């Protein structure tokens, strides 16, 4: 299995801040990486696919970058509705998810 | 609007079986690969199984291989997960998940639409 790690595991930021979450794969996965947002009590939502492509209807303040083993997810200006847990997921091999990053408002 | 409604979860003893169902609406179910993804209580996400539009392509996570069977009935817009020899570490919220696009009809692992999940608890 390809192991995914994320950092930080939790994050507290202020409204309007730029927020970055990192994701690392245990081996080269090219750009086969997705990002999801999960709000409390809800199912996950696909935000970014193929490492950097914004899913339809997702606000442009969300972005992703990276390839190979290192990836990042950025919120350019944090909004109150962005609180939740963010997961990366690889699909180079059978899919595996990162452990998640919990984002809170300071 | 895509809707995925899971059912069949509940409390079951270790070693017993359970069958989950998912009824889909709002899209051409027969064109899309579908998956089951689970979430352990208060924890992260684990892909369980996926199958192609025609059921010709099926994959399982190692943790469930040989115990779980995924299937679908395109005429009924339904996805199923037969879970046998259940263990306490199978306790989780099980989500029915739709692929992002239908071009290939095979699992590509873009988990675009999710149901609300059905809770499976394995305990004596």
């Amino acid at each position: 299995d390809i192991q995914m790690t994320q950092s930080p595991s939790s994050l507290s930021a202020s409204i309007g801040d730029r927020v970055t979450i990192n994701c690392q794969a245990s081996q080269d996965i090219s750009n086969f990486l997705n990002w999801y947002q999960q709000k409390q009590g809800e199912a996950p939502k696909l935000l970014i696919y193929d490492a950097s492509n914004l899913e339809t209807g997702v606000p442009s303040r969300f972005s992703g970058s990276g390839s190979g083993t290192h990836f990042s997810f950025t919120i350019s200006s944090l909004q109150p509705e962005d609180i939740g847990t963010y997961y990366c997921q690889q699909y180079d091999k059978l899919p595996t998810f990162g452990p998640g990053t919990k984002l809170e408002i300071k | 609007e895509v809707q995925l409604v899971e059912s069949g979860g509940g409390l079951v003893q270790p070693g017993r079986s359970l069958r989950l169902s998912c009824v889909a609406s709002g899209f051409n179910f027969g064109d899309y690969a579908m998956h089951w993804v689970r979430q352990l209580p208060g924890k992260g996400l684990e892909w369980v199984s996926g199958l192609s539009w025609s059921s010709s392509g099926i994959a399982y996570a190692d943790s469930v291989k040989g115990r779980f069977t995924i299937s679908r009935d395109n005429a009924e817009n339904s996805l199923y997960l037969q879970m046998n020899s259940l263990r306490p570490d199978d306790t989780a919220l099980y989500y029915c998940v739709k692929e992002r696009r239908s071009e290939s009809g095979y699992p590509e692992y873009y988990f675009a639409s999710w149901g609300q999940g059905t809770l499976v608890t394995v305990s004596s």
Side-chain angles (χ1 to χ4, degrees), chain A residues 20-40:
Chain A
T20 297
I21 297 169
N22 298 299
C23 175
Q24 184 171 343
S26 59
Q27 63 188 72
D28 189 335
I29 59 169
S30 184
N31 69 330
F32 299 143
L33 185 100
N34 299 327
W35 288 95
Y36 299 84
Q37 173 195 61
Q38 186 175 31
K39 297 183 179 181
Q40 185 67 34

Side-chain angles (χ1 to χ4, degrees), chain A residues 1 34 36 38 41-46 49-50 55-56 87 89 91 93-95 97-99, chain B residues 37 39 43-47 59-62 65 95 100 108-116:
Chain A
D1 287 7
N34 299 327
Y36 299 84
Q38 186 175 31
E42 297 184 7
K45 175 185 176 182
L46 177 64
Y49 63 95
D50 295 344
E55 176 67 329
T56 303
Y87 296 94
Q89 171 241 323
Y91 52 97
K93 302 288 191 294
L94 291 181
F97 291 86
Chain B
V37 176
Q39 186 159 32
K43 296 201 173 185
L45 299 161
E46 180 185 24
W47 171 82
Y60 297 97
D62 286 345
K65 196 176 297 183
Y95 291 104
R100 182 176 177 271
E108 297 180 339
Y109 307 110
Y110 301 81
F111 303 129
S113 301
W114 301 60
Q116 284 306 301

Side-chain angles (χ1 to χ4, degrees), chain B residues 29 73-78:
Chain B
F29 178 78
D73 183 338
N74 289 342
E76 297 292 329
N77 289 342
S78 293

Side-chain angles (χ1 to χ4, degrees), chain A residues 62-73:
Chain A
F62 297 104
S63 64
S65 65
S67 66
T69 59
H70 287 81
F71 302 85
S72 63
F73 171 84

